[in-house]
Amino acid sequence: MWRLFFLLLFPLPVSAQLKRYEFTENKMGSPFRIIFYHSDSLKALSLPKECYLLVDSLNYIFSDYTLDSEVGKLTQLNPFQEQKVSDELFSMIIYAKRMWLRSYKTFDITIGPLTHLWRKAKAENRIPSDEEIKAAKQLTGFKNLVLDPKKQTIAFKKKGMQFDFGGIVKGYAAQRVIDFLKTKRV
């Protein structure tokens, strides 16, 4: 289980007294804890709400648990149907593709069909068959994805392709929250 933890110290005048603030909410399927020190209690109490709204906005883009997210909507595409995507999603796909190449094709956000197969099998209290696994594997890999950087579109070459950003988006969200908090210095 992922636990996200942030500790941020804001630079303060010597006379300011820091107080520790800790907040935890369930985000992206995990406890998302934010801890920071601040001298202004009113400002400190408003920051977590803004942070969690930021995480929710990222989840609305990258979640593969709901068809309402941007990633969820992509699962409904027909083969070779181009779809313009947000800057945030396109940038993450490009970054993930670089990580896929750097990892010798072991880190793969196109693993969604296998992820969903195993989730379904777990819910049914069974192990997927070899045939099911083989069929899901045929729907993975960047070789089955068409990216057009100029138009900022994507298209799947096969029906049933899905993304799973679970291996990258929690860390990305954590960094985005840290970057946000750094802009809120006293």
Side-chain angles (χ1 to χ4, degrees):
M1 175 176 282
W2 279 81
R3 294 196 185 269
L4 299 175
F5 172 82
F6 305 105
L7 176 63
L8 203 58
L9 294 173
F10 294 99
L12 299 170
V14 177
S15 62
Q17 187 170 3
L18 292 174
K19 182 178 176 190
R20 182 178 193 264
Y21 294 89
E22 180 174 341
F23 305 89
T24 303
E25 285 192 22
N26 205 16
K27 297 291 178 188
M28 297 183 169
S30 301
F32 199 106
R33 182 179 300 156
I34 302 171
I35 299 173
F36 60 89
Y37 291 81
H38 208 293
S39 63
D40 185 327
S41 60
L42 288 176
K43 288 181 183 176
L45 293 175
S46 70
L47 288 174
K49 182 177 181 178
E50 293 177 73
C51 291
Y52 291 131
L53 286 173
L54 173 59
V55 174
D56 289 342
S57 73
L58 294 172
N59 195 54
Y60 189 71
I61 295 169
F62 296 106
S63 177
D64 65 308
Y65 280 89
T66 175
L67 294 176
D68 292 338
S69 71
E70 188 173 3
V71 165
K73 290 175 184 173
L74 294 175
T75 63
Q76 301 166 39
L77 294 178
N78 292 319
F80 294 99
Q81 178 184 351
E82 285 187 340
Q83 177 66 45
K84 184 164 177 46
V85 296
S86 66
D87 293 343
E88 193 105 40
L89 179 56
F90 198 80
S91 295
M92 182 63 81
I93 292 168
I94 297 300
Y95 180 76
K97 185 175 183 181
R98 284 198 314 266
M99 295 305 104
W100 175 71
L101 292 168
R102 288 179 66 184
S103 69
Y104 303 100
K105 302 179 182 180
T106 57
F107 176 80
D108 191 351
I109 61 167
T110 69
I111 199 81
L114 278 165
T115 304
H116 286 267
L117 171 62
W118 280 95
R119 284 182 197 158
K120 181 181 178 211
K122 181 181 177 186
E124 296 169 353
N125 200 29
R126 66 179 185 86
I127 295 177
S129 70
D130 290 343
E131 294 79 26
E132 288 174 304
I133 293 170
K134 184 178 178 182
K137 282 183 177 181
Q138 296 299 314
L139 300 174
T140 66
F142 275 91
K143 66 187 179 296
N144 294 317
L145 185 62
V146 180
L147 299 171
D148 185 335
K150 289 182 182 175
K151 294 193 287 184
Q152 198 169 307
T153 60
I154 69 163
F156 298 132
K157 291 182 181 179
K158 297 181 179 183
K159 184 77 173 161
M161 288 189 67
Q162 297 173 300
F163 288 124
D164 180 350
F165 286 93
I168 196 170
V169 79
K170 290 178 184 180
Y172 177 71
Q175 188 60 56
R176 287 286 308 274
V177 168
I178 290 168
D179 294 344
F180 168 76
L181 287 171
K182 285 179 180 179
T183 69
K184 300 297 180 179
R185 297 176 192 262
V186 179

